[in-house]
Structures are given as C-alpha cells and as structure tokens.
Amino acid sequence: MKHIAIAAFSVSLLFFSATSLAQAEVEITWQDPEKFDDVRSASESRVKFRERTFKELDEYINELVEDLPKGQKLVMNVTNLDLAGDVLPASFAGLGQSMSDVRVVKPIYIPRMSFSYQLLSSDGTVLQEKEVKLKDMSFSNSHNRFFSSDALRYEKNMIADWFEGEFAKSDTEK
C-alpha cells in the first residue's frame, strides 16, 4: 500500500512538473532603476521600497503571462516607472511638521511605464516585439479591478489593460 501511494505521488509530481515547464514564462529586467522617474516611498528606504515594488509587479506580470499560450516567453526590459501620485513633505499636504513624507494621489500625477518587450515562441522565434510607453491619464476616474488597499492598484490596472489589448486571444484561440 505504501508503494502505491509513493508511485501515485511520483506520477502526480511528474505531471505537475511537466505542466509547469510547458507554461508561458516571463523574464523582466528593471534597467537602471535609480534613474526611474518615481519609485519613491514616503516611509521606507528607497532601495527596500523599490525592491518590494518590483517584486510585486513581477509577480503580477507572471500571473498575466499564464494566459499566454504554453511554451511562449515574454521578455521585458523596463526603462522607466512613474508611480501614480507624488511623494511630498507632510507639511505640503497639510499634515504638519512631525510626520514623514506622504504619497499624494491626484489626477495630475498619472502612472507611467516605459519598456520594450519580445514575445518568443517555444523555439525562441520572435513573435512580437515593441517599444511601449504606457500612461493612464484617466487612472483616477476609470474602473479599477483592484482593492483600494493595493498600493500598486493603478499601475497593475494600467499593465493589465495593456496586456489584454496587446495579447488578446483571437476568437479561434478561445
């Protein structure tokens, strides 16, 4: 009985390994992030905030890539990121002198992202490649699919809109 359970576990592990190997992949490079327009925190070190921001966006883009056909790979080189809002001294925001800086989100501080990408087939053939400059000028007025507690909800929404438009499945693929 023990051998059957081990064999069943091994077969299922092999199945899930083969499935995960066939899934679409993503490779993201954040090029010269210290030169990005705005990846600043109001309350933690720049480096930690930047690392956390990139990690969260990496994870989200990995989720989006799951919708691509199996075996494809998305290679992105991000050259700029400007988060929604702007970091201002607390005194500018009317919060007094004792508080740290705050990120103020207003319609004039739109999210932006610049990157190039290649979509590769399973054999490495380039299927698509482009230079992209995203900006969401109506980010504060449009529907957002993320909870208000998600600090990167505007950026994720902008990326999701781009991804869905760029890699929309044709009727024959659905």
Side-chain angles (χ1 to χ4, degrees):
M1 189 67 164
K2 188 176 183 180
H3 295 293
I4 293 172
I6 291 172
F9 176 74
S10 299
V11 168
S12 65
L13 186 62
L14 183 62
F15 172 75
F16 287 116
S17 297
T19 302
S20 65
L21 289 175
Q23 296 294 322
E25 295 179 50
V26 66
E27 178 184 309
I28 304 171
T29 303
W30 299 90
Q31 183 181 323
D32 298 326
E34 59 282 345
K35 295 180 182 176
F36 287 6
D37 283 347
D38 176 20
V39 185
R40 293 180 31 218
S41 169
S43 60
E44 68 182 300
S45 82
R46 276 187 194 238
V47 173
K48 285 185 181 182
F49 180 75
R50 195 168 42 219
E51 288 172 356
R52 186 171 51 78
T53 299
F54 295 164
K55 180 179 184 243
E56 200 171 321
L57 290 174
D58 282 349
E59 289 170 356
Y60 181 65
I61 294 168
N62 269 289
E63 288 175 27
L64 292 173
V65 168
E66 290 175 3
D67 290 338
L68 291 176
K70 290 180 176 27
Q72 289 187 350
K73 182 175 184 176
L74 179 64
V75 179
M76 295 177 67
N77 183 41
V78 182
T79 55
N80 194 20
L81 180 62
D82 187 350
L83 301 177
D86 198 18
V87 176
L88 301 172
S91 59
F92 276 36
L95 299 173
Q97 299 292 336
S98 62
M99 295 190 62
S100 64
D101 295 345
V102 293
R103 179 167 289 277
V104 176
V105 179
K106 291 185 176 184
I108 61 170
Y109 304 127
I110 66 173
R112 301 171 195 257
M113 186 174 182
S114 299
F115 58 92
S116 59
Y117 80 87
Q118 288 186 321
L119 181 64
L120 307 173
S121 68
S122 57
D123 67 359
T125 305
V126 177
L127 301 172
Q128 265 179 261
E129 70 180 320
K130 284 187 185 171
E131 293 279 332
V132 179
K133 291 185 185 289
L134 296 180
K135 62 183 175 181
D136 188 355
M137 295 180 72
S138 62
F139 77 98
S140 62
N141 297 326
S142 58
H143 169 71
N144 194 310
R145 61 195 97 199
F146 299 94
F147 292 115
S148 61
S149 60
D150 187 337
L152 296 172
R153 65 189 171 277
Y154 301 118
E155 294 74 19
K156 289 178 180 177
N157 202 51
M158 176 179 68
I159 293 167
D161 288 345
W162 166 79
F163 192 90
E164 290 167 2
E166 193 73 12
F167 304 112
K169 293 181 180 179
S170 66
D171 292 333
T172 57
E173 292 180 71
K174 290 182 182 177

